[in-house]
Short mmCIF file of all heavy atoms in Angstrom, two decimals:
data_model
loop_
_atom_site.label_atom_id
_atom_site.label_comp_id
_atom_site.label_asym_id
_atom_site.label_seq_id
_atom_site.Cartn_x
_atom_site.Cartn_y
_atom_site.Cartn_z
N GLU U 3 35.30 -68.93 80.86
CA GLU U 3 35.23 -69.67 79.60
C GLU U 3 34.75 -68.73 78.49
O GLU U 3 34.12 -67.69 78.77
CB GLU U 3 34.29 -70.87 79.72
CG GLU U 3 34.78 -71.92 80.70
CD GLU U 3 33.94 -73.18 80.69
OE1 GLU U 3 32.89 -73.20 80.00
OE2 GLU U 3 34.31 -74.16 81.36
N ASN U 4 35.03 -69.10 77.26
CA ASN U 4 34.59 -68.33 76.10
C ASN U 4 33.22 -68.84 75.66
O ASN U 4 33.04 -70.04 75.44
CB ASN U 4 35.61 -68.50 74.97
CG ASN U 4 35.31 -67.64 73.76
OD1 ASN U 4 34.35 -66.86 73.74
ND2 ASN U 4 36.10 -67.80 72.71
N VAL U 5 32.26 -67.94 75.51
CA VAL U 5 30.92 -68.36 75.09
C VAL U 5 30.96 -69.05 73.72
O VAL U 5 30.07 -69.83 73.38
CB VAL U 5 29.95 -67.16 75.09
CG1 VAL U 5 30.22 -66.23 73.92
CG2 VAL U 5 28.50 -67.62 75.08
N HIS U 6 32.01 -68.78 72.95
CA HIS U 6 32.16 -69.39 71.64
C HIS U 6 32.95 -70.70 71.68
O HIS U 6 33.25 -71.25 70.61
CB HIS U 6 32.83 -68.42 70.67
CG HIS U 6 32.07 -67.15 70.48
ND1 HIS U 6 30.96 -67.05 69.67
CD2 HIS U 6 32.25 -65.92 71.04
CE1 HIS U 6 30.50 -65.81 69.72
NE2 HIS U 6 31.26 -65.10 70.53
N ASP U 7 33.28 -71.19 72.87
CA ASP U 7 34.01 -72.46 72.97
C ASP U 7 33.26 -73.53 72.20
O ASP U 7 32.05 -73.72 72.36
CB ASP U 7 34.13 -72.86 74.45
CG ASP U 7 35.09 -74.02 74.67
OD1 ASP U 7 34.81 -75.11 74.12
OD2 ASP U 7 36.09 -73.84 75.37
N ARG U 8 33.99 -74.25 71.35
CA ARG U 8 33.35 -75.24 70.47
C ARG U 8 32.67 -76.37 71.25
O ARG U 8 31.77 -77.03 70.72
CB ARG U 8 34.40 -75.83 69.51
CG ARG U 8 35.61 -76.42 70.22
CD ARG U 8 36.74 -76.75 69.25
NE ARG U 8 37.95 -77.20 69.93
CZ ARG U 8 38.90 -76.39 70.36
NH1 ARG U 8 38.77 -75.08 70.20
NH2 ARG U 8 39.97 -76.87 70.98
N ALA U 9 33.08 -76.59 72.49
CA ALA U 9 32.49 -77.68 73.27
C ALA U 9 31.39 -77.20 74.22
O ALA U 9 30.75 -78.02 74.88
CB ALA U 9 33.57 -78.40 74.09
N LEU U 10 31.18 -75.89 74.28
CA LEU U 10 30.17 -75.35 75.21
C LEU U 10 28.81 -75.34 74.53
O LEU U 10 28.63 -74.75 73.47
CB LEU U 10 30.56 -73.93 75.63
CG LEU U 10 29.55 -73.18 76.50
CD1 LEU U 10 29.29 -73.93 77.79
CD2 LEU U 10 30.05 -71.77 76.79
N GLU U 11 27.86 -75.99 75.16
CA GLU U 11 26.50 -76.03 74.63
C GLU U 11 25.53 -75.51 75.69
O GLU U 11 25.65 -75.83 76.86
CB GLU U 11 26.12 -77.47 74.25
CG GLU U 11 26.99 -78.04 73.13
CD GLU U 11 26.63 -79.48 72.80
OE1 GLU U 11 25.69 -80.01 73.42
OE2 GLU U 11 27.30 -80.07 71.94
N PHE U 12 24.59 -74.69 75.25
CA PHE U 12 23.54 -74.22 76.13
C PHE U 12 22.40 -75.23 76.12
O PHE U 12 21.87 -75.56 75.06
CB PHE U 12 23.02 -72.86 75.67
CG PHE U 12 23.86 -71.70 76.14
CD1 PHE U 12 25.13 -71.89 76.66
CD2 PHE U 12 23.38 -70.40 76.05
CE1 PHE U 12 25.90 -70.82 77.09
CE2 PHE U 12 24.13 -69.32 76.46
CZ PHE U 12 25.39 -69.52 76.98
N GLU U 13 22.04 -75.70 77.28
CA GLU U 13 20.94 -76.64 77.43
C GLU U 13 19.79 -75.94 78.16
O GLU U 13 20.01 -75.04 78.98
CB GLU U 13 21.38 -77.87 78.21
CG GLU U 13 22.53 -78.64 77.59
CD GLU U 13 22.12 -79.38 76.33
OE1 GLU U 13 20.90 -79.51 76.08
OE2 GLU U 13 23.01 -79.82 75.58
N PRO U 14 18.55 -76.36 77.89
CA PRO U 14 17.42 -75.77 78.61
C PRO U 14 17.36 -76.25 80.05
O PRO U 14 17.87 -77.33 80.39
CB PRO U 14 16.21 -76.26 77.81
CG PRO U 14 16.66 -77.55 77.20
CD PRO U 14 18.13 -77.37 76.91
N ILE U 15 16.74 -75.45 80.89
CA ILE U 15 16.45 -75.85 82.27
C ILE U 15 14.94 -75.97 82.39
O ILE U 15 14.21 -75.00 82.19
CB ILE U 15 16.99 -74.83 83.29
CG1 ILE U 15 18.50 -74.65 83.11
CG2 ILE U 15 16.68 -75.29 84.71
CD1 ILE U 15 19.10 -73.62 84.05
N HIS U 16 14.47 -77.17 82.66
CA HIS U 16 13.04 -77.43 82.73
C HIS U 16 12.50 -77.17 84.14
O HIS U 16 13.25 -77.10 85.11
CB HIS U 16 12.75 -78.87 82.31
CG HIS U 16 13.43 -79.25 81.01
ND1 HIS U 16 13.16 -78.61 79.82
CD2 HIS U 16 14.39 -80.17 80.74
CE1 HIS U 16 13.90 -79.14 78.86
NE2 HIS U 16 14.67 -80.07 79.39
N ARG U 17 11.20 -77.03 84.23
CA ARG U 17 10.53 -76.79 85.51
C ARG U 17 9.69 -78.00 85.89
O ARG U 17 9.04 -78.60 85.03
CB ARG U 17 9.61 -75.58 85.42
CG ARG U 17 10.32 -74.22 85.55
CD ARG U 17 11.02 -73.80 84.32
NE ARG U 17 11.50 -72.41 84.45
CZ ARG U 17 12.67 -71.98 84.03
NH1 ARG U 17 13.52 -72.80 83.42
NH2 ARG U 17 13.02 -70.71 84.18
N VAL U 18 9.67 -78.33 87.18
CA VAL U 18 8.78 -79.37 87.69
C VAL U 18 8.05 -78.81 88.91
O VAL U 18 8.68 -78.23 89.81
CB VAL U 18 9.54 -80.65 88.09
CG1 VAL U 18 8.58 -81.69 88.66
CG2 VAL U 18 10.29 -81.24 86.90
N LEU U 19 6.72 -78.96 88.91
CA LEU U 19 5.91 -78.59 90.07
C LEU U 19 5.54 -79.84 90.83
O LEU U 19 5.19 -80.87 90.24
CB LEU U 19 4.65 -77.86 89.63
CG LEU U 19 4.83 -76.50 88.95
CD1 LEU U 19 3.48 -75.90 88.60
CD2 LEU U 19 5.63 -75.55 89.82
N PHE U 20 5.62 -79.75 92.16
CA PHE U 20 5.32 -80.88 93.03
C PHE U 20 4.10 -80.55 93.90
O PHE U 20 3.91 -79.41 94.32
CB PHE U 20 6.52 -81.18 93.95
CG PHE U 20 7.79 -81.49 93.22
CD1 PHE U 20 8.63 -80.46 92.80
CD2 PHE U 20 8.16 -82.80 92.95
CE1 PHE U 20 9.82 -80.74 92.13
CE2 PHE U 20 9.34 -83.08 92.28
CZ PHE U 20 10.17 -82.05 91.87
N ASN U 21 3.30 -81.56 94.16
CA ASN U 21 2.18 -81.43 95.10
C ASN U 21 1.22 -80.30 94.72
O ASN U 21 0.82 -79.48 95.55
CB ASN U 21 2.70 -81.21 96.53
CG ASN U 21 3.66 -82.30 96.96
OD1 ASN U 21 3.39 -83.49 96.77
ND2 ASN U 21 4.79 -81.90 97.53
N MET U 22 0.86 -80.28 93.44
CA MET U 22 -0.08 -79.25 92.97
C MET U 22 -1.46 -79.45 93.58
O MET U 22 -1.89 -80.57 93.81
CB MET U 22 -0.19 -79.30 91.45
CG MET U 22 1.07 -78.96 90.69
SD MET U 22 0.78 -79.03 88.90
CE MET U 22 0.25 -80.74 88.72
N LYS U 23 -2.14 -78.33 93.79
CA LYS U 23 -3.50 -78.36 94.34
C LYS U 23 -4.55 -78.01 93.29
O LYS U 23 -5.74 -77.91 93.60
CB LYS U 23 -3.59 -77.41 95.53
CG LYS U 23 -2.63 -77.75 96.66
CD LYS U 23 -2.70 -76.72 97.78
CE LYS U 23 -1.76 -77.08 98.93
NZ LYS U 23 -0.34 -77.04 98.49
N ALA U 24 -4.11 -77.76 92.04
CA ALA U 24 -5.02 -77.41 90.97
C ALA U 24 -4.46 -77.90 89.64
O ALA U 24 -3.29 -78.29 89.55
CB ALA U 24 -5.24 -75.89 90.93
N ASP U 25 -5.28 -77.89 88.61
CA ASP U 25 -4.90 -78.37 87.29
C ASP U 25 -4.08 -77.31 86.56
O ASP U 25 -4.55 -76.17 86.38
CB ASP U 25 -6.17 -78.70 86.50
CG ASP U 25 -5.89 -79.12 85.08
OD1 ASP U 25 -4.74 -79.55 84.81
OD2 ASP U 25 -6.81 -79.04 84.23
N PRO U 26 -2.85 -77.62 86.10
CA PRO U 26 -2.04 -76.61 85.43
C PRO U 26 -2.65 -76.13 84.11
O PRO U 26 -2.49 -74.95 83.75
CB PRO U 26 -0.70 -77.32 85.19
CG PRO U 26 -1.02 -78.78 85.24
CD PRO U 26 -2.14 -78.91 86.22
N ILE U 27 -3.35 -77.02 83.38
CA ILE U 27 -3.97 -76.60 82.12
C ILE U 27 -5.04 -75.53 82.39
O ILE U 27 -5.10 -74.50 81.70
CB ILE U 27 -4.61 -77.81 81.40
CG1 ILE U 27 -3.56 -78.90 81.13
CG2 ILE U 27 -5.30 -77.36 80.12
CD1 ILE U 27 -2.53 -78.52 80.11
N GLN U 28 -5.86 -75.78 83.38
CA GLN U 28 -6.90 -74.83 83.72
C GLN U 28 -6.30 -73.50 84.20
O GLN U 28 -6.78 -72.40 83.86
CB GLN U 28 -7.82 -75.40 84.81
CG GLN U 28 -8.98 -74.51 85.21
CD GLN U 28 -9.90 -74.18 84.03
OE1 GLN U 28 -10.12 -75.02 83.16
NE2 GLN U 28 -10.41 -72.95 83.99
N ALA U 29 -5.23 -73.59 84.99
CA ALA U 29 -4.58 -72.37 85.49
C ALA U 29 -3.99 -71.56 84.34
O ALA U 29 -4.08 -70.32 84.33
CB ALA U 29 -3.50 -72.74 86.49
N LEU U 30 -3.40 -72.24 83.37
CA LEU U 30 -2.84 -71.54 82.21
C LEU U 30 -3.95 -70.88 81.38
O LEU U 30 -3.79 -69.75 80.92
CB LEU U 30 -2.04 -72.52 81.35
CG LEU U 30 -0.65 -72.89 81.86
CD1 LEU U 30 -0.17 -74.19 81.22
CD2 LEU U 30 0.34 -71.76 81.56
N ARG U 31 -5.06 -71.59 81.19
CA ARG U 31 -6.18 -71.01 80.44
C ARG U 31 -6.70 -69.75 81.13
O ARG U 31 -7.01 -68.74 80.48
CB ARG U 31 -7.32 -72.03 80.33
CG ARG U 31 -7.08 -73.15 79.33
CD ARG U 31 -8.38 -73.91 79.08
NE ARG U 31 -8.16 -75.12 78.31
CZ ARG U 31 -8.01 -75.16 76.99
NH1 ARG U 31 -8.05 -74.00 76.30
NH2 ARG U 31 -7.83 -76.30 76.37
N GLN U 32 -6.80 -69.83 82.41
CA GLN U 32 -7.32 -68.68 83.16
C GLN U 32 -6.35 -67.49 83.07
O GLN U 32 -6.78 -66.33 82.99
CB GLN U 32 -7.53 -69.07 84.62
CG GLN U 32 -8.15 -67.98 85.47
CD GLN U 32 -8.48 -68.47 86.88
OE1 GLN U 32 -8.48 -69.68 87.15
NE2 GLN U 32 -8.76 -67.53 87.77
N TYR U 33 -5.06 -67.77 83.06
CA TYR U 33 -4.05 -66.71 83.06
C TYR U 33 -3.91 -66.06 81.68
O TYR U 33 -3.85 -64.84 81.56
CB TYR U 33 -2.71 -67.30 83.51
CG TYR U 33 -1.62 -66.28 83.72
CD1 TYR U 33 -1.52 -65.57 84.92
CD2 TYR U 33 -0.67 -66.02 82.73
CE1 TYR U 33 -0.52 -64.64 85.12
CE2 TYR U 33 0.34 -65.09 82.92
CZ TYR U 33 0.41 -64.40 84.11
OH TYR U 33 1.40 -63.47 84.31
#
């Protein structure tokens, strides 16, 4: 396909974490 195709749209791919053992906010702050 042509990347410039008028009907082709790039959509984001989101992330989901399952069965976390720690708080993601705290982990991000620490990192």
Side-chain angles (χ1 to χ4, degrees):
E3 295 187 354
N4 185 3
V5 74
H6 300 282
D7 191 299
R8 55 191 175 271
L10 175 59
E11 297 178 2
F12 277 14
E13 301 289 347
I15 303 178
H16 311 298
R17 279 78 171 139
V18 178
L19 295 181
F20 302 86
N21 305 313
M22 295 181 301
K23 300 176 179 65
D25 176 21
I27 302 292
Q28 182 59 36
L30 283 160
R31 285 192 189 280
Q32 184 174 347
Y33 187 83

